[in-house]
Amino acid sequence: MPRVKVYNTKAEVVGQTTLKDEVFGCEYNEALIHQVVVAYNNNQRQGTKSALLRSEVRGHAKKPWRQKGTGRARQGSTKSAQWKGGGIIFAPKPRDFSQKINKSMKVVAFKSAISAKVADNEVVVLDELTLKVPKTKLFKEIMNNFEIGKKNVMFVLAEKNDDILRASNNIENAHVTYADVLGTYDIVSNSKLYITKDAIKKIEEAYK
């Protein structure tokens, strides 16, 4: 079982904890992780873009001038694509980009992704994450203690904490989520995960 250090918000080691192999010690499956992440991104797409085809723009199909003798290029209709206000060739239309991923695939991808983070020492376990007052300055001090810099990181809590949300809201590279909604995309899109001990327990219970 992976054994990791536990830190306080001052980046000081305050103990150790053991992570369950069933969740944090799984085999790396890059192909499955890629499939789940691509599906997640596709499912975020609205697919609402739309433009008018030649047959849909307002106007008439009357020939603007005779075919020959005018010295101008031959034209069949002012609704053609080369005319201002004309239709779009191969115009984009609303479509559904969603992809279905089986629950078992999501579970395996999640375990694989978070296990890889643990193996690469990119998971930091915190004893707790609290603030006396919801100030961005105080949250920034915690990040400075861990020398986070400008890399994207994610803080994972066991349950909703309005103070942490308010304090981190204005920090561009700091993201906050909860154990029950943490997903594979969240894991791979951030350089490090800072997870509280309570959140670790929730994750292990959900994916055991």
Side-chain angles (χ1 to χ4, degrees):
M1 292 186 177
R3 191 164 182 79
V4 296
K5 297 177 181 177
V6 179
Y7 295 84
N8 59 20
T9 53
K10 295 180 180 179
E12 300 169 339
V13 178
V14 293
Q16 286 188 332
T17 188
T18 301
L19 306 178
K20 290 185 178 180
D21 270 337
E22 306 95 280
V23 181
F24 297 97
C26 299
E27 185 179 348
Y28 183 57
N29 189 332
E30 184 177 2
L32 183 56
I33 292 173
H34 178 267
Q35 185 178 350
V36 171
V37 169
V38 168
Y40 171 85
N41 285 327
N42 283 339
N43 292 340
Q44 306 309 304
R45 298 181 68 175
Q46 291 184 327
T48 55
K49 62 181 180 180
S50 181
L52 298 180
L53 294 165
R54 175 173 174 167
S55 61
E56 297 171 325
V57 296
R58 295 184 64 182
H60 55 77
K62 183 181 177 182
K63 193 172 176 67
W65 52 74
R66 60 195 174 97
Q67 182 81 345
K68 296 178 179 293
T70 64
R72 289 178 288 185
R74 52 194 172 187
Q75 301 290 333
S77 170
T78 54
K79 296 169 70 174
S80 300
Q82 69 270 24
W83 285 77
K84 182 179 179 180
I88 304 298
I89 300 174
F90 304 126
K93 290 295 179 182
R95 55 172 290 195
D96 182 13
F97 289 95
S98 63
Q99 289 181 258
K100 186 180 185 306
I101 296 292
N102 295 333
K103 184 177 180 180
S104 60
M105 295 172 67
K106 290 181 182 179
V107 170
V108 174
F110 178 92
K111 290 181 178 180
S112 177
I114 203 164
S115 296
K117 284 286 187 186
V118 172
D120 293 337
N121 295 318
E122 293 176 350
V123 171
V124 178
V125 179
L126 304 174
D127 59 343
E128 62 177 359
L129 183 59
T130 57
L131 295 174
K132 294 180 180 178
V133 288
K135 295 288 186 181
T136 301
K137 180 180 179 181
L138 297 179
F139 195 85
K140 194 70 175 176
E141 286 178 3
I142 296 175
M143 295 180 65
N144 291 337
N145 291 337
F146 286 99
E147 300 179 352
I148 290 175
K150 295 183 179 180
K151 293 181 178 180
N152 287 332
V153 296
M154 177 159 278
F155 291 84
V156 185
L157 309 177
E159 55 190 19
K160 187 177 181 180
N161 186 315
D162 291 331
D163 289 348
I164 297 296
L165 284 175
R166 289 180 62 187
S168 63
N169 194 41
N170 291 329
I171 304 176
E172 186 177 358
N173 62 318
H175 312 283
V176 177
T177 190
Y178 311 107
D180 55 352
V181 294
L182 179 67
T184 304
Y185 178 81
D186 299 322
I187 296 170
V188 301
S189 62
N190 290 280
S191 61
K192 276 193 174 184
L193 302 176
Y194 292 81
I195 312 177
T196 64
K197 286 178 65 177
D198 290 341
I200 289 287
K201 291 179 181 178
K202 274 199 169 185
I203 293 171
E204 289 179 338
E205 290 172 0
Y207 290 92
K208 62 184 177 180

